[in-house]
Amino acid sequence: MEHEIKLERVVDSIIKHREAGKDLGGRSRLITDSQIRNARRLIDGGETPTTVARDLEIPRATFYRRTRALDLTAE
């Protein structure tokens, strides 16, 4: 029961911070959205995602995740 109460307080706190536009912590993004867009243009031009991710010095999975997140915010 205490765990549920604590979880509820944590979730409420996160919601309030997001609504207020405050930082929730975590790692800062080293790659900007514009860099991801430019990388997408390279892929559309024929480069492989592996090569582009290697050039950005990020894991390929991270590149795909950031690309999907950017596509969702554009819609």
Side-chain angles (χ1 to χ4, degrees):
M1 186 169 120
E2 287 181 32
H3 176 71
E4 292 173 8
I5 293 170
K6 183 176 180 181
L7 179 63
E8 187 177 315
R9 283 197 320 254
V10 169
V11 170
D12 287 342
S13 177
I14 289 172
I15 290 170
K16 288 178 184 176
H17 275 82
R18 283 189 179 146
E19 288 174 353
K22 293 184 179 177
D23 186 23
L24 295 175
R27 292 182 183 172
S28 60
R29 290 185 173 178
L30 299 177
I31 304 298
T32 64
D33 289 345
S34 64
Q35 288 173 307
I36 296 294
R37 285 188 198 97
N38 289 334
R40 287 290 302 268
R41 288 187 197 108
L42 289 173
I43 291 171
D44 292 341
E47 289 289 328
T48 63
T50 303
T51 304
V52 172
R54 189 178 304 133
D55 290 344
L56 289 174
E57 297 180 355
I58 61 173
R60 190 178 65 219
T62 302
F63 172 71
Y64 283 130
R65 187 175 57 250
R66 290 284 307 275
T67 302
R68 273 195 310 274
L70 192 60
D71 289 343
L72 290 176
T73 58
E75 293 176 353

